[in-house]
Amino acid sequence: VICCVFCCFFQRHYHPTVRKYAAHLLAGAPSEGSGALNMELSRKSATQLFLDYSVKGMVFNPAVAAPSSKKKDRFTIGDAFLDAKLKEQIDCALAEASCPTDADFAAHLRSVHG
């Protein structure tokens, strides 16, 4: 059961090979079909896999893709998105709203206990 939990976490791992092995194990380690490993990974011994994916050289295998330079569109909330009539209604509502300046949040405690 614990192995399945870890495999579920490893399916979201940053390294694509770890994700492949986790999906393979969760599928029951099939030798063929959609859950099977590709030929390159399935033919390697555990020792060879350890050497191929060793962090000793401090390099990623396969190489990590460079971050995309495309900036995401971000929207800001402001007057630019408000209809003129809607803005007028909001400004009117805000002008009418009055907040007490002497807000006493403990008044109900004094009336109950005092």
Side-chain angles (χ1 to χ4, degrees):
V1 174
I2 293 175
C3 179
C4 289
V5 171
F6 283 116
C7 282
C8 288
F9 286 126
F10 287 142
Q11 280 189 309
R12 296 173 185 246
H13 197 271
Y14 69 91
H15 199 283
T17 305
V18 174
R19 289 193 305 262
K20 287 179 190 175
Y21 266 97
H24 174 69
L25 292 173
L26 285 173
S31 58
E32 57 187 30
S34 62
L37 291 174
N38 61 20
M39 294 300 280
E40 179 186 343
L41 292 176
S42 64
R43 304 247 179 207
K44 292 185 179 181
S45 67
T47 306
Q48 187 61 44
L49 287 169
F50 180 78
L51 292 173
D52 287 349
Y53 297 104
S54 172
V55 294
K56 190 174 186 178
M58 297 303 289
V59 294
F60 285 99
N61 180 15
V64 176
S68 65
S69 61
K70 181 181 175 184
K71 292 184 178 181
K72 293 183 180 180
D73 294 332
R74 295 191 180 162
F75 293 101
T76 57
I77 299 173
D79 293 338
F81 296 106
L82 295 179
D83 179 280
K85 189 172 182 178
L86 177 62
K87 183 174 176 359
E88 181 182 329
Q89 290 176 348
I90 291 172
D91 290 340
C92 181
L94 290 174
E96 291 176 4
S98 61
C99 296
T101 56
D102 59 338
D104 186 3
F105 297 106
H108 71 285
L109 294 175
R110 285 193 294 277
S111 64
V112 172
H113 300 292

